[in-house]
Amino acid sequence: MSRPNSFLLVAITLGFLFSLSQSLRFELQSGHVKCVTEDIKSNSMTVGNYHVVNPIEGQPLPENHKVTVKVTSAYGNNYHYAELVESGQFAFTAAEAGDYMACFWTADHKPQETVTIEFDWRTGVAAKDWSKVAKKGQIDVMELELKKLYDAVNSIHEEMFYLREREDEMQELNRSTNSKMATLSILSLVVCLSVAGLQLWHLKTFFEKKKII
């Protein structure tokens, strides 16, 4: 394979991998909360950048367009908090695996205002600052792309193990749930049979007292 074709393949592969990061624009009504979730494995780097889109370019951002942002883990641990800001960023290494949640909200205004937010959330390979890597190592473009690809392959490898672990956890949860359901079904059957036996005994005793049988 020729050098240009190899470079094109690397670029296409990296483009697909980095497209997995969440970069979005959304609208937020004042007085409401909107959250974005990202499944992050432990010891994985994550970086987020956000800013409020100014509704009138060239003018100061209205005071009622400022937002409050909070990033928490699946276990409720707080990783970022900013109150009434126009923009901000966060970066941390996940200490625990699971769904991380970034929530945005504004104060309640009358009449209601609509705030537009740009949010870019990257994890794993996509969260690395490759411009610093290139500057530090004084490497050429091809070497940099190959390093990106190498890290991307390692990231995919780790992601496969992470998904396998999550699958094992789900299977164990299903087995545990099925076992509990089976136990509950047996107990329910025993209770129903016991109640039926007591009813028959009560009816037999009643009829014997009335000398019906």
Side-chain angles (χ1 to χ4, degrees):
M1 184 180 292
S2 64
R3 182 184 177 92
N5 289 336
S6 300
F7 181 79
L8 179 61
L9 178 60
V10 171
I12 292 174
T13 304
L14 288 171
F16 172 74
L17 290 170
F18 291 142
S19 65
L20 298 177
S21 61
Q22 292 197 45
S23 181
L24 63 143
R25 171 183 286 201
F26 58 90
E27 292 184 346
L28 176 65
Q29 301 293 328
S30 58
H32 291 73
V33 180
K34 183 162 290 189
C35 297
V36 180
T37 60
E38 178 77 4
D39 185 14
I40 305 175
K41 60 180 181 291
S42 61
N43 298 320
S44 182
M45 180 69 181
T46 184
V47 174
N49 292 279
Y50 56 87
H51 72 273
V52 178
V53 178
N54 196 332
I56 306 175
E57 292 186 8
Q59 299 292 328
L61 185 72
E63 190 66 26
N64 55 12
H65 274 57
K66 293 185 177 181
V67 298
T68 299
V69 186
K70 186 175 183 179
V71 181
T72 55
S73 70
Y75 298 94
N77 295 321
N78 187 21
Y79 280 83
H80 174 74
Y81 181 79
E83 188 173 2
L84 298 177
V85 294
E86 301 177 9
S87 62
Q89 62 181 3
F90 57 85
F92 58 86
T93 299
E96 48 205 325
D99 289 331
Y100 284 70
M101 184 178 297
C103 292
F104 301 78
W105 68 90
T106 64
D108 193 8
H109 298 289
K110 301 296 181 182
Q112 195 174 61
E113 295 282 348
T114 299
V115 179
T116 302
I117 299 173
E118 287 271 8
F119 182 39
D120 183 43
W121 197 353
R122 302 176 183 273
T123 60
V125 177
K128 289 188 177 182
D129 189 349
W130 293 104
S131 61
K132 291 183 179 179
V133 174
K135 184 177 180 181
K136 180 179 179 181
Q138 297 296 320
I139 55 181
D140 60 22
V141 176
M142 174 58 81
E143 289 174 337
L144 176 61
E145 296 302 328
L146 289 175
K147 181 171 176 57
K148 289 182 182 179
L149 183 58
Y150 176 76
D151 284 353
V153 170
N154 283 336
S155 178
I156 293 173
H157 186 66
E158 292 173 359
E159 189 70 22
M160 290 174 63
F161 279 104
Y162 173 66
L163 292 175
R164 185 177 298 174
E165 290 176 359
R166 293 295 295 270
E167 182 182 2
D168 290 341
E169 290 175 2
M170 290 301 298
Q171 290 179 352
E172 182 61 31
L173 178 61
N174 289 334
R175 285 193 291 267
S176 175
T177 302
N178 291 336
S179 176
K180 291 178 180 178
M181 289 299 297
T183 303
L184 181 61
S185 299
I186 294 172
L187 288 175
S188 299
L189 181 60
V190 170
V191 171
C192 289
L193 292 175
S194 299
V195 171
L198 287 173
Q199 287 179 336
L200 289 174
W201 176 80
H202 176 73
L203 288 173
K204 181 181 178 182
T205 304
F206 175 77
F207 289 143
E208 286 176 347
K209 287 182 178 179
K210 295 295 182 180
K211 297 183 178 181
I212 297 176
I213 57 174

